[in-house]
Amino acid sequence: MRALRSAVITATMMSLAACTSAPPKAYVAPTISTAVSAPGNADLSEANATLQRALNERHLYLTVDDDVAPYPDSSCRNGLLKRVSSPAEIGAAQDPLYAGYLLPIRLQASGVRYRDSMGQWQPLTSLPATAMTVYLDLSDDARTPLAAPTLSALSGQPVSLVLSDAQYQQWQKAGSALGQGRIWVKRAPSLRRPEPEGANIEHLFQERSGAVLQALDGNPLAACQSQQDSVFIASATVPFQPGRGYRLEELVAMLPQDADFNQLFRQAALVAKGRYLTYWGKLAVLQDRCKSGELGADVCGKGRATSQRDDQGLIVVIGGESSDD
């Protein structure tokens, strides 16, 4: 009987203790950041923070060299090569704007050579270690036959070779330890697209896979716009209004997708005259047809901007009503 009484008391105490225990902590889901990380060469200075935010809204960014560039996720970089003149310009890290480097070379009896800053041909004894593919451009060296031993020497290096059409025919006959997948041919594209002014783009083709690369100097934004019809740039959010002044960040938000975003100060002067500069160097017209009543709210909306071509083929950006009128 005593044992039974003790068990009852123990059970009662345990029940009371359970009732007075602190409740379990509520589950808090981990916070997941969805922010897009800035590219390694982005300008993170406070002085350009407002401009940087405006460019980010258009899916562009300002580099430390004061260039406006496409984000790496625009898919442009996969088809772009940075043209360099010497191995010293080849960086070890992954460049966020390019998929590789294009280095002009020449074949001589003594081996592979490149032209230095003084115009002298120097032996290419080794290439800097890099995470990117290096494309050795032999296409301008038409005088030198493609010697199989020299090409075989390149097979041990992590490089691809760029040839002219005539050289490619030689290479097919000569045979080489350098596989077909590492041979590219430089030629003009069969279908010409608008090319950015002064871009000097070279087109490379992979015969086996049909892949295409574009080699260029300097900032790749205009080449990317040509390659993808500017669709990777977000639509304008500020409507054009004649006679209105635009701060730099507002100008970025107003310019059409095909604008040259690397000439913002020139664009500001042109916008005052109702025009803007496209990425291929042509002047186009900005016209507020919503305010004039030519177009209704079904086209203009409030604060929206669309575009079409006028009778002369000039691009016309249609501004909507100002949201702060």
Side-chain angles (χ1 to χ4, degrees):
M1 187 70 178
R2 183 179 298 173
L4 178 60
R5 186 184 301 117
S6 177
V8 170
I9 293 172
T10 301
T12 303
M13 292 178 66
M14 291 178 64
S15 177
L16 290 172
C19 293
T20 58
S21 297
K25 292 183 178 180
Y27 172 75
V28 179
T31 301
I32 301 175
S33 174
T34 57
V36 177
S37 59
N41 64 339
D43 182 343
L44 302 179
S45 67
E46 185 61 31
N48 289 322
T50 303
L51 176 59
Q52 187 71 278
R53 283 193 293 271
L55 288 167
N56 292 165
E57 290 292 326
R58 303 299 301 272
H59 297 171
L60 302 169
Y61 75 100
L62 186 69
T63 74
V64 292
D65 297 319
D66 291 328
D67 291 325
V68 177
Y71 261 88
D73 64 3
S74 66
S75 299
C76 292
R77 66 168 297 276
N78 296 329
L80 298 178
L81 301 181
K82 184 176 184 178
R83 197 160 41 219
V84 295
S85 58
S86 79
E89 299 175 47
I90 296 175
Q94 184 80 16
D95 191 312
L97 302 181
Y98 299 94
Y101 296 101
L102 180 69
L103 174 66
I105 61 166
R106 171 178 289 183
L107 295 184
Q108 296 183 350
S110 55
V112 182
R113 292 179 174 265
Y114 74 94
R115 190 189 296 273
D116 64 17
S117 59
M118 302 299 292
Q120 303 297 315
W121 289 96
Q122 304 293 343
L124 184 66
T125 55
S126 63
L127 289 168
T130 178
M132 298 166 66
T133 303
V134 177
Y135 296 77
L136 300 179
D137 185 6
L138 193 63
S139 63
D140 292 333
D141 189 16
R143 298 171 299 171
T144 305
L146 297 181
T150 307
L151 291 181
S152 298
L154 294 174
S155 62
Q157 299 189 44
V159 297
S160 291
L161 194 64
V162 180
L163 306 175
S164 66
D165 269 311
Q167 289 171 328
Y168 181 65
Q169 301 301 322
Q170 291 182 38
W171 176 83
Q172 287 184 309
K173 296 176 182 178
S176 169
L178 205 62
Q180 175 80 31
R182 293 166 65 183
I183 298 296
W184 293 74
V185 181
K186 186 190 296 185
R187 64 166 72 103
S190 55
L191 179 62
R192 284 287 187 181
R193 300 173 63 85
E195 186 168 297
E197 187 177 30
N200 191 24
I201 296 174
E202 296 177 297
H203 301 266
L204 281 56
F205 299 85
Q206 221 290 315
E207 294 297 296
R208 187 178 68 178
S209 66
V212 180
L213 292 171
Q214 293 181 334
L216 62 148
D217 303 307
N219 188 291
L221 176 58
C224 194
Q225 289 177 278
S226 174
Q227 187 185 97
Q228 296 199 17
D229 293 325
S230 301
V231 296
F232 64 94
I233 299 177
S235 299
T237 56
V238 172
F240 168 69
Q241 292 176 296
R244 172 187 170 180
Y246 291 87
R247 296 192 301 271
L248 207 57
E249 62 272 17
E250 293 176 328
L251 185 67
V252 167
M254 183 275 294
L255 285 172
Q257 290 167 294
D258 66 343
D260 185 344
F261 286 87
N262 275 294
Q263 297 198 55
L264 292 179
F265 291 104
R266 185 180 176 189
Q267 297 284 26
L270 289 170
V271 166
K273 301 174 183 177
R275 294 175 178 266
Y276 73 99
L277 187 69
T278 67
Y279 70 85
W280 62 83
K282 305 297 182 183
L283 287 178
V285 176
L286 289 163
Q287 183 175 327
D288 188 346
R289 292 184 174 177
C290 294
K291 195 167 185 177
S292 67
E294 291 183 54
L295 298 171
D298 57 328
V299 175
C300 301
K302 188 171 182 62
R304 294 174 52 196
T306 58
S307 66
Q308 64 186 40
R309 293 184 180 273
D310 67 6
D311 295 338
Q312 287 75 42
L314 290 172
I315 298 170
V316 177
V317 175
I318 305 164
E321 298 177 14
S322 174
S323 58
D324 53 4
D325 278 352

